[in-house]
Amino acid sequence: MASSIRALVVQPPFVQPNAPYPAAFYLDARLRALGVESEARDHSIAAWRALHSRAGLSLAFDEAERRLSSGEPAPGDEATRDQVFRYLSNRDAYLREVGSLADFLAGTDPSYGHRLAASRDLPYGARAEALLDALDGELRVEDAARFATAALNDLGDFLAYAVDSDWGTVRYAERLGRSGGSFAALSRAADTGWILDRIYKPIADAEFAALERGLPADATLLLLVTIPFPGCAAGALACARSARRALKDRVRVAFGGGYVSTELRGLSDAAVFGDADWLVFDSGYSGLEGILASLGGAGDEALHRTMKRGPDGLVLAVGFPEEDDANIPSPARSVLPTASFAEREKRDRALVASNFPDWRGAPWKDYVGAVDSANPMHRLWSDAKWMKYHLAYGCYWARCAFCDTELDYVARYVPADIDSLMKAAFAAREASGVSGLHFVDEAMPIPQLLRFAGRNAALDRPFHFWGNVRYDKGWTDGAAALLAARGLVAVSGGIEIATERGLELTGKGVSFEDIVRALLAFRRNGVLVHAYLIYGFPGQDARDIVDSMEAVRQLFAAGLLDSAFWHRFVLTRHSRMHAEWKKGKRPGLRPRETPAPENANAAAAFAAAAFAAAAFAANDLSFEGEELFEKWGPGLDAALSAWLEGEALDEPLQAWFEDFRVPKPSLAPDLVDRLGRAAEAALDAEPLPESARAHWIAGLPLARPAKTKDRVELVWTWRGALERLALARAEGDEVVAVIRDLAARPEGMDWNELEREPALGPQLGKLRGRGLVATRPF
């Protein structure tokens, strides 16, 4: 098999340009482990850099001028048309500078920042102009990255206005790939979209032409195309079509990724199989091995969590769990179960725990950071190059009402093997020089974080890292302090609706008091914090939204949040709340075009029929009453934009809503302050966790003579300050020896063992919080 199959794993355009999206590199690592000759390619960054080059941008200007000269209607309103002509007037300047702007943000031309700060002749549009106005016209070297980002975003506006309306900096034709979109529309975008046709197609064609020339006569290319988001679905089709043009029947194509797993589970339109031979769902590992076995002659029975075109021309779903939506009967879809399902699931579980990428083939020098805010937390997503890993597959909570808890990527919780992760990350850093890790877990489990931090502390050069968490009771001051000392930079997590009623509605499993305490633990230890927020949840009213907004304002004012983002709630077919509605447990929820269920069986039957009738993408659902929330978005966004910059925190909430009246918040104006004071006291007096582990995270203590000759003074640094402790000379020497031994142990020591130390035991209370921390065992 390995000698007759070559593999190429591709990330199609477009995803964020600051770092490689991980799925292609995970699959590539697995293929190589199986002995398959494989390579990973990031076509997204390749296309982005080609577009933001002199050659690519020249083509775009040519196209815009052609459209204007041919009499095509000018885009937008008068102000938009003026901006387009402004860009066209600056054509030569943009062509001269675009490569340097991109290289500067990629970190390969740092001195260009001085050029940006010194020049008064740079081209810019509305975004760069607004930044200059905010800076009073004085651009410092420190502001150069923000200006370069604004200038490239200006070009993005130009491209969307005048060349290709489907363009987005990190997505393409996203509206066509979303739920409710048709395959036919997405297919047209793949063929006729200007950026895919003129920028991406030449890149893909050159890649596959070279592969065709180098492919042995008896070999087949297995092309795996990962589609994490709707915004790269059209790019995936363009990629597959380029491969088929070059390699004809010598290529077989599989699509997979988050978009496939969420949106295409109820697929009944087999047209997509004109581009892909298979759709692979969920983690993809057993599905990939099934495809390799099938190519080796094992037939369709070898497939796992996979769809293809069946012999009758209809969609064939193979190897899905019995209760999975892919198994819902449909006139356009047939189902083939597999006898070895449980064995394959067990193997898949082992692989999601142990397979990690070394990022071979990732063009790290090409990735481009974007600095669109001065807020340090807000910048983490786009301003640096991160290697993306996971500490666990799935979510250890998996009960939030709005989340896709019915799908594998949330429902199946599998902790990662930390040794395998560390081995891969270390090899990747040796090749790339990148030391930052972004854990893309649904929520990083605290025990896994502590295990990773222990391994990390043992390295000569530790990694720094961040990722998603749950703001729950597990976040003690000791845990936050230890992780901060061992590389934790920031956390992001869902608060969703920041009131007790909202937390209960959404099934978060925490109280607002728990959240404040967790946020305070992070703040005390210097960890940046981001909150995900939602509005428009079924059952919310105006008072609920205002109260949540007021709580968020207080959290910012108290310094407990560094950044946040409001998301308009979207009901999904695989969420817990929709599953409950099908069982008759949420009678107040009314998905559009559904009758009020008389009982659970009626609701479930209707939902199944509606899903089976959905031809293509079908995860997002409309529901009655959602239109009432449309008016809230601009005000909520404007308020957050100010608050995350530390501005307008004393403005009344009504000031953000000019077009309608909002109720006054019912929360006490000092709610967060009171909860914060209580949390501060609780963290100061935090009891020892059961079976506590002790860790030393301060500078090493030194003993120096005290004024009394039989005593010594221990001195050590703790967060920039010099700490002192006076002891008898004999005790001092012993305490120094034990603490130095403790500091050398990344796994820490049993707290009870330290208490039994004759000299150190009586001093533990004085040392805790001054470099000595306690965590639960891990």
Side-chain angles (χ1 to χ4, degrees), residues 167-237:
W167 166 250
T169 304
V170 297
R171 60 189 65 87
Y172 186 84
E174 183 180 49
R175 61 187 174 83
L176 301 177
R178 286 176 173 169
S179 290
S182 71
F183 178 76
L186 194 65
S187 179
R188 284 194 298 273
D191 285 335
T192 63
W194 188 89
I195 287 174
L196 290 183
D197 181 51
R198 298 300 303 279
I199 302 297
Y200 176 51
K201 189 183 293 183
I203 294 170
D205 286 351
E207 172 104 50
F208 293 116
L211 281 169
E212 192 277 333
R213 290 192 297 271
L215 195 67
D218 64 342
T220 295
L221 178 71
L222 175 60
L223 174 63
L224 306 178
V225 186
T226 179
I227 315 175
F229 309 114
C232 42
L237 297 181

Side-chain angles (χ1 to χ4, degrees), residues 620-631:
D620 296 353
L621 297 168
S622 179
F623 63 93
E624 289 187 13
E626 64 182 352
E627 66 279 357
L628 300 175
F629 301 106
E630 291 178 4
K631 62 183 181 181

Side-chain angles (χ1 to χ4, degrees), residues 35 41 67 106 119 127 243 354 397 406 443 495 512 565 624 700 730:
R41 289 285 185 270
R67 292 184 182 190
S119 177
R127 294 175 188 260
S354 61
W397 174 247
E406 305 299 296
I495 296 177
F512 191 62
F565 189 82
E624 289 187 13
L700 294 176

Side-chain angles (χ1 to χ4, degrees), residues 14-15 17 44-58 60 94-105 148-149 151-159 167-170 194-195 199 203 366 368:
F14 284 96
V15 291
S44 179
I45 193 59
W48 194 98
R49 291 301 298 254
L51 179 61
H52 294 85
S53 69
R54 184 181 184 91
L57 195 57
S58 181
Y94 273 120
L95 294 180
R96 183 178 64 246
E97 304 295 340
V98 65
S100 295
L101 288 167
D103 285 347
F104 173 62
L105 291 176
T149 300
L152 290 182
N153 285 338
D154 281 329
L155 282 176
D157 292 339
F158 165 70
L159 292 167
W167 166 250
T169 304
V170 297
W194 188 89
I195 287 174
I199 302 297
I203 294 170
D366 291 341
V368 175

Side-chain angles (χ1 to χ4, degrees), residues 586-601:
R586 284 187 178 257
L589 179 64
R590 294 288 300 277
R592 292 284 189 192
E593 301 177 4
T594 63
E598 298 176 3
N599 53 54
N601 289 335

Side-chain angles (χ1 to χ4, degrees), residues 3 42 47 229 306 331 352 525 616 677 712 767:
S3 61
D42 190 342
F229 309 114
T306 298
V352 297
N525 292 288
F616 194 57
R677 287 193 297 271
V712 295
L767 295 171

Side-chain angles (χ1 to χ4, degrees), residues 105-120:
L105 291 176
T108 57
D109 189 8
S111 63
Y112 185 69
H114 295 278
R115 153 76 171 159
L116 291 176
S119 177
R120 294 295 179 270

